[in-house]
Amino acid sequence: MKNKVKNIILVVVMSLMFSCSDFLDISNKQTLSPKNFPATLEQVDLILTSSYAGPYGFGLYAFYWFPMGLYLYDHTTDTYGSYDERGSSMDNYTNIDSRYILRTYTDLCKWAHLSTTALEAEESYRINYSVKSEEAELDYIRGQALFNRALAYWHAQIFFEINPDGWGFPVFDKVVNTVEEMERPRSTVKDTWAFVINDLETAIPLLIGHNNKYRASEWAAKGLLAKVYMQSLYIFPENKFKVQFLMEDIINNSGKRLATPEVYKDMFYGNADNEFNSESLYELSMTTYYGKEDIWMGYNTGSGMPIVFAPWYMDLEIRFRPNVEGKEENDPLKQVLDLSTAKKSSQWGNNFVHDANIRRFGFHGIYGDTVPRRTFNKSFNSALARSIDNYPYRLEYPDYRQKSMDLKNDRDRVDPRLQLSAGQPFVDEYINEKGKITYYDRSHEVINRPDLLAWQHRKFTNIQGIEMGQAPYGKNESSDANYPIVRLADIYLLYAELIKDENPALALEYVNKVHRRAYGYSPDSPCPYDYTGFTERTKTADATDHLANDVLKYERWAELFAEGQWWWDIRRWKIGLAEAEYYKETRHGNITWKGDESYVQPIPQLELERNKNIQQSTGYPGVR
């Protein structure tokens, strides 16, 4: 099998490549061919644009990256069942046959290669066709390609081992021409990080003065480099002074500032007015594409990730006949299982926010942390239009919604960022496919589990309607919610972490800036919710949670929740075991932390078969 399996990774990547020799084999520049492409500056930019397409791969932000990847590794999410290969990822030991990790690996390789292709295209054009007046534009193109390649490798760290001398990722610093050249071994972790750092350090001076929000800029590269420095500081401690200087440059000279509390509340849901805001250093732009049937039907400008964790919501038109469903003996409270009114999901609805996250935000104690059942609503009037107030069923505890709202709005007890991140069934309002107000609900798959809170995901979902369907209330499975890669709140918290020991007062001030904004206050003035120290009690309900008295880690978790950042923090702090002990279990079963291999994703089986030189991640099986 090893010798017969078609190398789909290679085919996909190389079909989008131009060889080095082709670039240098020059003929008539007026005739488009592999021998003279690119022959104009516009053609160089066209190749560069393909490197910007990298993160929109099916294994990345188009579909798999969060719901079949990071959300499982860091337990942002739980699933309603033990679905396919996702179960092994939820147990922090992904199966090497997982189609999800295969596609992600493929798309990361493709993204890196597309960026390298752009670099060689720029170099070839500069040597063979450029004029002096084009040098500045070529520098800008080169800076962008370097940034994109670094960003691809930054995402690829899911495959990096923790040990500096362990395996990182195959480094492709030039375009390859043959299958043999594609069969490249992995570089060490240390060498891979050094490669990323060099790309970003080289890119920054080439990007100065360019501020197109859709493209890499000086501040995007500096922000990403600050994150890279911090994530690799245990390998390169000598970069501590570099990263401090870099972050102070961003803070003092970028012109960036934390978004206002009003913008902050609405910047994760596809509202263009609040995206690319004042704190954004780099984000991936998404736009709803109505000219397709679904996520699998070719080109897409939006993301399909939210269809996996699309919310369930209460069906206002649920069937109810007073003399049938409404008979007294059919009162749901008299039945073994609760009534399911969640007949509708915004799309797949496979995932919900892991219950342990709800408690970590501080929400607990309402009716013993169990979910109420439904009973008949004696006030229901079938002659009137259905609404959340005129519905055949009500909760067994009439005060459940008000008690929940009171608790969520109590900032002394519950972190307000919970409401940005999760929608509470039966409590929080939702907009259905007809634009009517209803409630978030629980999937019918957990009607026999009152112990599961099953709050719905909110960040990056459509809060003005549903994921499927056409406008005005549908997104056609093509979410237009942008994905932040680097934002100023992230930099503030990293800066606080860096200087905490040398200047604890200033470090705490930067943590409080982020904290104040989240609580609805100006970042720059003291507020009643300020922290007074780094070991103060955080909002997590569980006193044994390792974040209970760790302000800095808790703030990174809460502020960046569901943004695909927490897994990188878990890895660099090596707190995976503590996290596994906190989350304890998923719908797949008990979480078993195996050791350092649980921080790392395996090289997929297909890549092992086609590349005789690739090394498997330590702790995972080799080629079968």
Side-chain angles (χ1 to χ4, degrees):
M1 179 180 180
K2 180 193 294 190
N3 296 324
K4 294 182 180 179
V5 173
K6 185 67 175 175
N7 177 11
I8 63 169
I9 298 175
L10 175 65
V11 170
V12 171
V13 171
M14 292 193 70
S15 67
L16 295 166
M17 305 272 145
F18 303 93
S19 72
C20 300
S21 60
D22 284 342
F23 281 145
L24 300 176
D25 186 5
I26 308 302
S27 59
N28 181 6
K29 66 181 290 186
Q30 302 304 317
T31 303
L32 185 62
S33 75
K35 294 184 179 299
N36 68 355
F37 186 81
T40 67
L41 194 60
E42 291 75 15
Q43 290 170 0
V44 178
D45 193 66
L46 179 64
I47 299 174
L48 172 67
T49 300
S50 70
S51 75
Y52 278 105
Y56 298 85
F58 202 76
L60 298 171
Y61 289 86
F63 203 33
Y64 288 171
W65 186 246
F66 284 168
M68 281 80 159
L70 294 190
Y71 279 7
L72 304 179
Y73 312 152
D74 68 9
H75 307 297
T76 292
T77 200
D78 201 349
T79 61
Y80 287 110
S82 184
Y83 301 128
D84 52 55
E85 307 96 308
R86 281 171 273 183
S88 63
S89 293
M90 292 163 70
D91 198 30
N92 295 117
Y93 190 74
T94 299
N95 191 309
I96 66 171
D97 291 312
S98 169
R99 82 197 86 167
Y100 306 120
I101 203 64
L102 171 62
R103 187 60 185 262
T104 296
Y105 181 86
T106 303
D107 285 348
L108 287 170
C109 288
K110 185 194 306 181
W111 188 2
H113 275 281
L114 289 169
S115 302
T116 300
T117 301
L119 287 167
E120 294 201 1
E122 178 273 328
E123 182 179 15
S124 173
Y125 178 80
R126 189 189 292 263
I127 292 171
N128 294 289
Y129 292 123
S130 71
V131 296
K132 189 170 182 61
S133 61
E134 294 174 325
E135 287 184 2
E137 185 62 24
L138 287 169
D139 285 347
Y140 179 38
I141 287 172
R142 187 163 194 81
Q144 293 175 78
L146 287 165
F147 173 85
N148 283 334
R149 187 166 69 181
L151 188 56
Y153 276 89
W154 180 79
H155 282 78
Q157 68 180 288
I158 59 171
F159 295 98
F160 294 11
E161 295 181 1
I162 299 299
N163 183 343
D165 296 322
W167 300 124
F169 205 70
V171 169
F172 292 95
D173 55 353
K174 64 179 181 178
V175 174
V176 298
N177 300 304
T178 66
V179 171
E180 288 72 23
E181 289 180 294
M182 277 297 295
E183 293 178 343
R184 190 161 298 192
R186 296 165 74 175
S187 296
T188 65
V189 171
K190 183 176 182 179
D191 287 346
T192 312
W193 275 125
F195 179 68
V196 176
I197 289 169
N198 182 68
D199 271 2
L200 288 169
E201 289 180 340
T202 305
I204 287 170
L206 302 176
L207 295 171
I208 291 174
H210 298 279
N211 293 299
N212 184 332
K213 66 182 181 181
Y214 299 107
R215 295 197 170 207
S217 68
E218 168 193 359
W219 301 111
K222 285 181 174 178
L224 182 61
L225 181 57
K227 291 169 72 67
V228 167
Y229 278 150
M230 290 294 289
Q231 288 161 357
S232 62
L233 206 56
Y234 73 102
I235 301 173
F236 305 109
E238 65 272 17
N239 286 337
K240 180 175 181 180
F241 298 105
K242 284 186 179 181
V243 67
Q244 181 170 346
F245 177 83
L246 189 63
M247 288 194 285
E248 288 173 351
D249 186 23
I250 293 169
I251 291 168
N252 297 321
N253 301 317
S254 69
K256 300 293 181 180
R257 63 188 186 281
L258 293 181
T260 65
E262 293 72 28
V263 170
Y264 179 64
K265 290 178 181 178
D266 191 42
M267 70 189 220
F268 302 106
Y269 313 114
N271 182 349
D273 291 340
N274 293 324
E275 295 176 322
F276 295 112
N277 58 54
S278 61
E279 74 176 80
S280 174
L281 279 86
Y282 192 73
E283 62 187 76
L284 295 178
S285 177
M286 299 287 172
T287 55
T288 299
Y289 182 44
Y290 289 105
K292 67 170 189 62
E293 293 184 15
D294 56 46
I295 188 65
W296 296 274
M297 299 297 290
Y299 177 73
N300 190 14
T301 59
S303 174
M305 290 199 295
I307 75 174
V308 185
F309 48 86
W312 288 85
Y313 57 99
M314 188 174 74
D315 181 7
L316 290 179
E317 305 305 324
I318 191 171
R319 187 175 188 181
F320 185 81
R321 296 165 294 180
N323 294 322
V324 182
E325 288 84 6
K327 283 186 176 180
E328 187 62 31
E329 60 267 26
N330 291 330
D331 187 336
L333 283 180
K334 298 178 180 178
Q335 310 307 311
V336 175
L337 300 179
D338 192 20
L339 172 77
S340 175
T341 59
K343 303 288 184 171
K344 293 188 175 182
S345 169
S346 185
Q347 199 16 311
W348 288 11
N350 289 166
N351 298 29
F352 60 93
V353 176
H354 195 295
D355 280 3
N357 292 312
I358 308 306
R359 290 179 57 82
R360 187 172 263 182
F361 276 115
F363 187 95
H364 69 106
I366 300 294
Y367 287 106
D369 291 328
T370 59
V371 176
R373 297 183 64 181
R374 263 76 58 111
T375 186
F376 286 147
N377 178 8
K378 300 293 178 59
S379 300
F380 171 62
N381 186 341
S382 59
L384 299 178
R386 296 278 186 94
S387 70
I388 56 176
D389 297 314
N390 187 48
Y391 195 66
Y393 305 98
R394 67 166 179 81
L395 298 179
E396 63 176 312
Y397 309 129
D399 60 351
Y400 178 82
R401 184 172 190 271
Q402 190 58 54
K403 281 188 173 183
S404 295
M405 292 299 297
D406 289 345
L407 177 58
K408 284 197 292 187
N409 289 321
D410 184 348
R411 293 174 181 170
D412 289 322
R413 298 178 62 190
V414 176
D415 194 314
R417 286 168 288 201
L418 172 61
Q419 297 186 59
L420 292 181
S421 304
Q424 185 179 4
F426 316 147
V427 174
D428 291 323
E429 292 183 353
Y430 186 78
I431 306 297
N432 73 8
E433 74 281 3
K434 297 180 180 178
K436 293 184 177 180
I437 296 175
T438 181
Y439 288 133
Y440 287 94
D441 207 334
R442 288 153 41 92
S443 167
H444 61 84
E445 295 183 67
V446 290
I447 59 175
N448 63 335
R449 292 290 302 272
D451 58 312
L452 285 177
L453 300 175
W455 288 37
Q456 304 298 300
H457 282 277
R458 285 199 87 227
K459 270 188 182 177
F460 311 119
T461 66
N462 180 13
I463 62 172
Q464 298 300 323
I466 61 174
E467 297 301 329
M468 67 180 99
Q470 295 296 306
Y473 304 112
K475 297 290 188 183
N476 200 33
E477 300 173 322
S478 180
S479 172
D480 60 351
N482 286 5
Y483 293 103
I485 302 297
V486 192
R487 58 185 181 94
L488 192 60
D490 187 358
I491 299 299
Y492 276 6
L493 294 173
L494 289 174
Y495 182 62
E497 179 184 347
L498 185 73
I499 66 170
K500 181 168 68 72
D501 294 335
E502 291 81 11
N503 194 339
L506 183 60
L508 191 62
E509 172 64 14
Y510 274 94
V511 172
N512 275 327
K513 286 178 184 295
V514 174
H515 190 67
R516 291 166 190 152
R517 190 272 301 277
Y519 279 65
Y521 289 83
S522 167
D524 300 319
S525 301
C527 86
Y529 300 99
D530 277 3
Y531 290 113
T532 58
F534 283 104
T535 59
E536 190 173 324
R537 186 68 167 85
T538 62
K539 288 295 191 291
T540 180
D542 188 349
T544 66
D545 182 351
H546 68 107
L547 301 189
N549 294 97
D550 193 329
V551 163
L552 200 146
K553 287 186 176 67
Y554 172 84
E555 279 297 305
R556 284 197 61 80
W557 173 83
E559 176 64 23
L560 302 170
F561 182 79
E563 294 180 39
Q565 305 290 343
W566 183 238
W567 183 240
W568 310 138
D569 287 337
I570 291 172
R571 284 170 45 88
R572 69 191 179 92
W573 291 326
K574 295 195 71 173
I575 58 172
L577 177 59
E579 285 288 276
E581 290 174 345
Y582 174 72
Y583 285 95
K584 296 183 175 63
E585 64 180 2
T586 68
R587 293 301 302 277
H588 180 66
N590 293 331
I591 300 170
T592 305
W593 189 262
K594 296 183 180 298
D596 281 357
E597 57 263 49
S598 287
Y599 290 113
V600 183
Q601 295 306 298
I603 299 299
Q605 171 74 15
L606 182 58
E607 176 69 351
L608 294 173
E609 292 173 349
R610 76 93 190 168
N611 182 354
K612 63 181 181 293
N613 296 319
I614 200 74
Q615 306 94 333
Q616 178 58 287
S617 298
T618 303
Y620 286 90
V623 64
R624 299 195 297 266

